[in-house]
Amino acid sequence: MEILLPILVGILFASGLYLILHRHFFKLILGIIIFGLATNLFLFVIGRLTRGNTAIIDDDVTIASEPFADPVPQALLLTAIVIGFGIQAFAIVLIKRVYQAFGTNDLDDLDKTDKIHEELLSEGNTQKYDQQD
Amino acid sequence: MQHILLVLPLLIPLYGAIACLFFWRKLGVQRVIGVVTQLSLCAASAYLLYKTDTTGILTTQIGNWQAPFGITLVSDIFSSLMVLSSAIVGIAVFVFSLRGLSNARQLFGYYPLLLLLQMGVNGVCLTGDLFNLFVWFEVLLICCFVLIALGGSKPQLEGSIKYVTINFLASSFLLTGIGMVYGILGSLNMAELAVLVRSAEANHGLITLASIFFLVAFGIKAAIFPLFFWLPASYHTPPIGISAFIAGLITKVGLYALVRLFTLVFVLNQDILLPIFLVLSGLTMVIGVLGAASQVDFRKILSFHIVSQIGYMLMGLAIFTPMAIAGSIYFVIHNILVKTCLFLISGVVYRTYGSFALKKLGGVYLQQPLLSLLFVIAAFSLAGIPPFSGFWGKFMLAKGGLEAGNYGLVATSLGVSLITIFSMTKIWNEVFWKKKPAPTEEAARVIAEANTAHIGVLRLLHLPVVVLIVCILFIGLYAEPLVNLALRASEQLLNTESYVNAVLHK
Amino acid sequence: MLEKLDLLLVREIISSIFILTGVAFMLISTIGLLRFPDFYIRMSAITKGATLGVGLILMGLGIYFNQPSMLLKVLVIVSFTFITAPVAAHVIGRTAVQNKIPFWDRTNLKELEDYLQKEDLSEKESDIKVKKG
Amino acid sequence: MKTLILAVAIRIFIPLFVIFSVYILFRGHNHPGGGFIGGLICAIAFIFHIMAHGPKDTAYTFFTIKYFRKAHQTGRSSVSSVLVLVYKNLFRKKELQAAPDWLPRQWRVDPIFIISCGLFLAATSGVFGLFLQQPYMSALWADMYLPVFGKPGTPILFDLGVYLLVLGVVLKITFVMAEE
Amino acid sequence: MRIFLIHSGLSFLIAYQFFKLTDLLPYNAVTASGVFILFFMTLWLSSALYSRSYFRKIPIAIEFIIFFLKEVVVANLRIAYDIITPSYLMKPAVIALPLDVKTDLEITLLSCIISLTPGSLTLDVREDKQVMYLHTLYAEHDNLDKIKHTIKDGFERRILELTT
Amino acid sequence: MLIIILAGLFLAFSAPLLYKWLGKYVYVPMALYPLAAFVYFSSYLTDVLGGQTIFAIHRWAPSLNINLHFYLDGLSLFFVLLVTGFGTLIMTYAGGYLKGDPLLGRFYMYLTLFMVAMTGVVLSGNIFCLFVFWEMTSLSSYLLIGYKHDKAGSRNSALQALLVTGGGGLALMGGLLLLGAVGQTYTISDLLNRGDLVTSHELYLPLMVLILIGAFTKSAQFPFHFWLPNAMAAPTPVSAYLHSATMVKAGIYLLARFTPVLGGTDAWQYTLMAVGGITTLLGALLAMQHTDLKAILAYTTISALGILVTMTGIGSEPALQAMLVFLLAHALYKGTLFLVAGNVDHATGTRELDQLRGLGRSMVPTGVAASLAALSMAGVLPFFGFIGKELLYEAALAATTFKALLFAVSFFSGMVFVAIAIVLGFKLFWQASSRPTPMLHTMSPALYLPPVIISSVGLLFGLFPAALVTPILRRAAEAMLGVEQLFELALWHGFNLVLGISMLTLLLGYGAYRYSNRLHTYAPRLNPLYKLGPQRIYELGLEGLLNGATKLTQKLQNGYLRSYIFIIISTFMVLVVWVLAQTGPVLDLSGRWQEIRNARLYELVLIVLLVPALLFLFRTRSRLTAIAILGMVGYSIALFYILFGAPDVAATQLLIETLTVVIFVLILHKLPEFRFLSSRIQKVKYMIVAGLFGCLMTYVTLLVKQYPLVSGLKAYYGENSYLQGYGRNMVNVILVDFRSLDTLGETTVLAVAAIGIYAMLKLKLDNEH
Amino acid sequence: MNLFSVTLIIAIGALSVCLVLTAIRFALGPTLPDRITAFDLFVANVIGIIAIYTELTGNADFIDVAIILSLFGFLGSISFAYYLMKTTR
Ligand code: NA
Ligand code: NA
């Protein structure tokens, strides 16, 4: 298993990224979610795994005895999952709004804001040095 | 005392935001809360800087848990400087937004978002814990997401998509990087990490590998080439109050994190890392400024300039001498103020002339002499013309670079600043000097809107610009205090021991 | 007397029986899910089997642990599944009818016709009764 | 979705969910659970209701405080008149329904209000430490043990804040989405 | 219903206190259940004094549950057989069941019980609450009334007994 | 001295207000300021002439060793008197020239700013203090050149001047930084003693070149000369002040100032002589071609600057003396001539030679001033220009190398100057003409007095050189040469070779004047040659830069999100692979088989289940199916969390996954079905990148897990969660107590997300549909 | 590794096979309600796996997750149905 979960992490990362690289809105959001899952699992796996032991102290003792799971990756993961949820929820709504406003599914149609608009090129970009005006 | 002092930059905006949320639909109340909060935040930040400067590094162990086990808030000169500049920028943007932002947007949580964004920024700057850094980054990031999309106009949505996706990737890289660091070193406290990394058992290869994750993550957030694409795609899309704040501050926060981590934790294998920084910094400067030179829109020029300037800030890290890092620090502070100021100026221009396109603007020089003067000062500060503020940062960087023998990078930086001058004068030529063309339809609408608004609108819009310009002039004409602070801050950064001792109470 | 009995073994055996029965039910249900000809048959036959299976497994669990708290938890889960499963089944089934998901051709649909008319769903019976299986 | 069976089922579920979520919240300190999970479960109860009845109905049923208010309230609303208002509405509701000079009023509790309450609680649970010259978020524990509640202390308060906030957030999101 | 809940709660509390305060019995699931049932029975018996209907309903409820479990297991076995044998015995049909139960709660209860029993599924209830549409697997196609009768006599009757 | 500077700055910024209050009399305070400065600095004359140098040091940025360090020696004093003296007259003149201009206030602001900057440059005793003022001159001259801002030509000229001098400034900055590093001080007086240290350093050559570029751009030396003629777009007072008398001489000042530090080497000498010589010739040639008054003046200025640079390059005592004298003479006559040109322009509305004739009748004082200046320019006895020219010839003849060339160059330029002087001083004004150019405006005293005064000063200096200028020039030369100077200036040296050459110059110059018309007809034939000149290179460079920048930007910032992400991920992978290759932790695969065998069946099944699920996700056309798959994937991962001991995480994951499904369902019901948009090639490309990325992440994970993890945190939380945090669930105790700040941030994120979603769905401004 | 845990592992393996079969039905579809049903069964399977795993490890805390899942597991089905209703109506 120590080798299987890392492979799963890789698979999730790959599929997340592959979906993100698609042009379709919906694939993008799916990709974002899967990428987030991959990230979370990565965080979990890399903090080392213990099979079957939780990070909860038994009722009859006051100090946890080995073996118990490392609570740190779990706590980090919880925070990360929740934060990821917030961001993903926002992203989903954003996608919806983009579709509403633009009426397209194609991310490639959204190339307006960062391109230079040819019609706005003015004399600022063409120097003239004749003294007459 | 320091327990309170260190959490104030987080709690003041948080409570301000909570209060605003309680009065969700009451704009007037929110504004009053905003004024009080911003002023007290500024005062608290200034006092924090003063205290940090006079008594050395301040720490508080949140929850009263000893250092590596809980979360530590740390304030050294660099972080408290960042906190103070964010507070100043916050005030300016807040005042600008009172009249510079439509009421509809203000009604949908603008003020609480702004405050929470400030809280996130302060958190990033003050935290001494790696994962907590991530959390604060997410706080500021989601605030940015929301603010950029606030209002949902078409360009905003388009910009948001790119901003959200790419920054999400950045966060993922950050998170994976944090996972790796924990997986390698078993700690999250940055001071303890600094100790662990320098210990004999440290696995140099793995730690350097982990540092790449952080480099990419913060590289995206700081808009370093070739990771910057989201910035020019999105920063010019929201209303100006928002883009001024985000553009002024957020990339610098990414850079702050980069500087913090790569001076404190990732100091191994510098023979591999520094050349990477060197190349990235040079390319960032050049590509950014070329992008700016090619643009024909007021805000887009400014946006691309952010990229270019980030290259300068990275330069200090690439050179890695006290002088160069001090240069970066100075540059960060200078750039926060100047960039915000320039964006606000573009906002004033928009409010009065109804466009951002250079072609459609003109004649401001004749009609608004004060604004012209303010722009000249800000623009030439940005371009690094002495004695304005940009010069000092450039000077320190160039000096550090030459001392370290990085002639190529210094030459690049100087060349880039020439193109910076060029593109700033392009704005000046087109917007201020050129004759005014006939207003377009949109322009007419905006102008009409502005005219029907309160008579004090313009004056109120000018106020924050003036305040920022005063700050810019201060750090330029009387550069010594900030230069001195920057030098000492960089000493603090490079002398890790004081940080570690302060946090771990050794 | 009671203490001397090897309770653990007894519990294990009873629990095993419960669990194996439950798992068998689930396995059969799942096979049915693959085999049965139309949606409605799968729906009305299968999910219940699974519910029973889960119930049996949980009973086995409760017997094995032999703790009041675990018993309570098991009861809670069983009652939850027994409440939610039919509701979910009903909702999905209803949706399926309204979405004109086809019935098996051997289904007697005489009494559904007036419902379809009333709900303005009927174009023709043939429309909803597509030949299958 | 207008289906009788679902509607009835949900009517039964909601108190179940809410009780269970509070239970999860308080046992979270010792067992799996906690404010976040609890808040989500509570919110899911209302999501069911939204799906079955629509957001308006849900908001009216659960998030609207119906009270009576004196008609033609002249003069300033002094503290005493507010107290009278609260008292009458809490204990003399029947009377008010009949009284002609008391008119029914509604106050819709916006989930944002719940969010801000939660955030306030979470943030404030840490402030007490500051007054005792201790760092922010320093835990203060009572010296006793309550049956369901566990050991009372500021971290529990913090968790309660998280619970409220999550509840508010999910409600806000689903309300606005369902209204779309 | 309310009385039932109160009784359950009371028994739970009493059982809890019993184990907490006394050492009479070892603490495990069997004894705990035993104690709980003991107290519950006591309470139930005492209820004859003030609530006759409640007193009457508990045995009905128990009988109902047993009947229901039997039905579930039998139906499950029948379907299991159908699944593992290659040919189908089933004769699916949709039937419109006229309802005697009236209240929303009853209808819901009936529908849930029907749905829980393998081989039948509630599709919808007509808006006037008079007819329930069911999908069932083992109907005789020429005589749908037979299956209707089974349901009405089995579940519906018991529910009505329980609620009135 | 700081007071003077600060007062100047204050005055500069209050100029617009003063204009508002004082109206056209604003020139009074503005002119009084340089006058006061002139008087103030004159008060140091006795000290300085007595051989003292005066220091004033004010702390500015001591951390960087940059201080407001003022340093007054002979050279500085000479220049500062020039600057303030001229300043007084120009300020007055501008008041008349731009009378009634609404922007006069701002004009005065810029001009005063410039004057302050220039004063600062020549007074600075710290190289970066100097640099700061240096750049201020560029900045203020930019604003001044662009004064007629509504004209594109003006704006572009201003930009050009700024870019050229600003670029030079940056080079200068680099050079000064190197100089400071090499000389280990920023203080000029200290540097002056370390000439040997600097010239022998290996960085000497680059730093010298950089500083020279700075000086050359400012002083309009070839190949940077082209901005100066274009800068004539500025109003005439600016041209007179900046582009003849002061700013362009800042470069000369710099060269002179650093002669003791950098001079004396072959590289220095040859560079200066070559560049200066070419500039001289080029300026002279171009001056002959033009018919626009100011253009002619500009090119002769370039030529004169070339001479100054050449002389500085020669570096011998006579050459430097000649340089100083000629500098003063040139300032005097060229300043006058610019003002005259301004008057002509002002009065007639044109500056074209062809259209101007018979002006003397209506503008007598101006004509007189022009004649006086022209005589000086031509080097006629007894004008100061004569002394300058004599000294030049002497210095050229005394040069040790390239004597002939140097002489030829000075002679040729002298000849051209004569020809041009005849045109400007006489032909325009006094040649009889039947149809004199009509006058549009009459001359006010403010307009004609300054040229008259300046030209008279030229005459005065020529008549009494020993008394009036020798002492200060001696001290100035001493500052450059480092030894005490005892030379005397005299108008009359008796009949000697140089006098003869002067006469010859006059004669040939007259000849050139006679044939100048023919020259004008030949000149256009040379135009293609100039097209290849530096101006063209500048234009092409700028254009190329812009085009290149535009193309590059459009290529990179192409608007396609996928391409951005592609680049980002590729960068990441390249960096990771590079670091792996460099630092080389390698994955050890031995013993991994054992781990696979340890895996449980159900774990394997879960993983095997996920792969086809994901593949199905790529292929499906139904959104709802995709969402369901997403839910199943999320549930499976939650199951993994359970299997590995994280029930809290699993519960959260399950809830979140369900909630995500709910959100999808609530929000996405109106979207259309999938279309497959990407082309096959794109898909393959992206598939490869994604696959590589996945492999890399797996590799990294395995790599990290190969080493043991020692976590102090785990042990600590195990011990203290219950005893100090009063909770058995360590994860929860971490969340609400140990790391409660994280949770606070996390909840904030959620709150903001809720607000954001609300705002996004409810607030739809400009909702075009 | 006693007989009991072998039994449990066999059981959990069988449930895993169930998961695969469910997934196949999911992939086959053919209609959306079919997939929803598969999803439902998937959830039930997961609950079963958690239950057996709890028994396997003897750690009672895992079953809490199953409680939570059993509570809202059908929210998925409900919301899919909701979706279908919304898109058709
Ligand atoms: Na994330
Ligand atoms: Na705490």
Side-chain angles (χ1 to χ4, degrees), chain B residues 62-63 65, chain D residues 125-126 136-140 154-155 158, chain F residues 733 736-740:
Chain B
I62 295 296
W65 298 105
Chain D
S125 75
Y136 184 59
M137 287 286 178
S138 297
L140 304 174
T154 52
F158 183 85
Chain F
V733 176
V736 300
D737 203 344
F738 287 116
R739 301 182 63 93
S740 44

Side-chain angles (χ1 to χ4, degrees), chain C residues 44 103 107-109 111-112, chain D residues 5, chain E residues 92-99 110-111 114-115 119-125 131-137 147-148 151-152:
Chain C
S44 55
F103 284 86
T107 311
N108 182 345
L109 287 179
E111 301 204 350
L112 192 65
Chain D
I5 292 158
Chain E
V94 176
I95 54 171
L97 183 74
L99 290 176
L110 179 62
S111 136
I114 289 170
S115 290
S120 54
L121 170 69
T122 321
L123 289 181
D124 207 352
V125 178
V131 176
M132 181 185 274
Y133 295 95
L134 303 176
H135 181 268
T136 177
L137 290 188
I147 183 95
K148 282 184 201 168
I151 293 171
K152 286 192 86 70

